[in-house]
Amino acid sequence: MNPTLEDIQQILRGLANAEIAAHSLRFFKTGKGQYGEGDVFLGIRVPVLRKTARAFTGVSLSVCAGLLASPYHEERLFSLILLVNRFQKADSEEQAAIFRLYKDHIRCVNNWDLVDISAPAIAGGYFIGRKTSPLLDLAKSPDLWERRISIVATFAFIRRNELGLTFRIAEILLHDPADLIHKAAGWMLRETGKRDQAALEAFLAPRYQKMPRTMLRYAIERFEENKRRRYLEGIL
């Protein structure tokens, strides 16, 4: 019998840990005015969620949608783990259905861990071989998490040695006000450099002096020490 939403919620809530939940409230910045304001936690570690997800390969998309709409952070995360696992094994028709669910519930993907665990496989994977203008549109969204989805999704392209989309979106985000975007864009730029450092340096050359420092530090993290210092000092 396929598990219901209530079946899975009962299992997850049985794994709850109040001490872990209290730590998560601080770690994910849930205070007033912080990026995770109002989020609530059961207190379940990611490895436990991943292990539990392996027993639920046949969960329906409607149940995943119900979990994704949950107020509990870990239930949303569990849903995204299920969807990523399913997307990676699905045919193109099912992948399209998973992406539509993701897009329809994108406001539920509302913290950095939720974005990072799902955007490369689903938001990125779906657009391989398709027009990527929707990702460029997300990069211009007023919503912090949609902008983070746009850049982290490009990891799917980087893994295929297709680097251009990362550079295009990083350009859009170059003056973003949010540190979480600076970190994500710098992380993806660093990943392009692992594949083609010359291409990354060509992108950085006219921009590094005006990039947010966090973005630049992340992007050049793997450079040789003297070169990294010259970038940071602006003396190339």
Side-chain angles (χ1 to χ4, degrees):
M1 185 177 75
N2 290 332
T4 66
L5 175 61
E6 292 74 21
D7 291 334
I8 295 177
Q9 288 176 325
Q10 183 177 7
I11 290 168
L12 293 180
R13 292 174 193 185
L15 296 170
N17 181 299
E19 184 177 346
I20 294 173
H23 174 266
S24 296
L25 288 172
R26 298 187 298 272
F27 184 74
F28 288 102
K29 308 297 185 186
T30 62
K32 186 172 178 59
Q34 295 182 306
Y35 63 74
E37 181 178 353
D39 208 352
V40 291
F41 292 81
L42 293 168
I44 311 172
R45 302 287 192 198
V46 173
V48 175
L49 291 172
R50 288 191 181 279
K51 181 178 179 180
T52 305
R54 291 199 290 267
F56 290 100
T57 56
V59 175
S60 70
L61 292 185
S62 63
V63 169
C64 289
L67 288 167
L68 196 48
S70 171
Y72 287 107
H73 187 101
E74 291 92 344
E75 290 187 357
R76 301 197 303 280
L77 182 56
F78 190 74
S79 176
L80 292 168
I81 292 169
L82 292 174
L83 291 170
V84 167
N85 291 347
R86 187 162 175 170
F87 188 94
Q88 291 171 336
K89 298 177 181 179
D91 59 23
S92 59
E93 182 177 348
E94 186 176 8
Q95 285 183 343
I98 292 168
F99 176 75
R100 285 195 299 272
L101 187 158
Y102 188 80
K103 182 178 69 171
D104 290 346
H105 292 79
I106 199 166
R107 292 302 175 93
C108 302
V109 187
N110 59 352
N111 214 312
W112 60 264
D113 62 325
L114 304 179
V115 171
D116 296 357
I117 210 165
S118 63
I122 300 176
Y126 177 76
F127 284 105
I128 297 295
R130 291 184 169 91
K131 292 183 178 179
T132 56
S133 54
L135 291 177
L136 298 173
D137 291 340
L138 283 180
K140 302 168 188 175
S141 170
D143 184 83
L144 165 66
W145 307 118
E146 291 185 3
R147 300 198 307 276
R148 188 167 174 116
I149 287 170
S150 74
I151 187 66
V152 177
T154 70
F155 208 168
F157 291 80
I158 295 169
R159 287 168 173 156
R160 295 166 58 91
N161 293 317
E162 299 174 17
L163 310 182
L165 182 62
T166 302
F167 295 141
R168 289 176 69 190
I169 292 181
E171 177 76 37
I172 294 170
L173 299 174
L174 200 59
H175 301 293
D176 198 281
D179 188 60
L180 282 168
I181 299 300
H182 304 165
K183 290 177 179 178
W187 168 28
M188 288 301 106
L189 289 172
R190 183 182 69 217
E191 293 300 321
T192 68
K194 291 180 183 179
R195 274 75 178 177
D196 188 339
Q197 184 166 319
L200 172 57
E201 292 199 57
F203 175 82
L204 292 174
R207 301 173 178 88
Y208 78 97
Q209 290 181 322
K210 57 187 177 182
M211 288 176 72
R213 297 293 281 183
T214 298
M215 188 186 298
L216 178 61
R217 285 182 182 277
Y218 273 59
I220 64 174
E221 191 175 68
R222 293 175 62 89
F223 284 14
E224 179 268 333
E225 183 178 352
N226 286 337
K227 177 175 284 190
R228 188 170 64 248
R229 178 177 49 79
R230 292 197 301 273
Y231 269 99
L232 291 172
E233 294 176 356
I235 56 174
L236 286 176

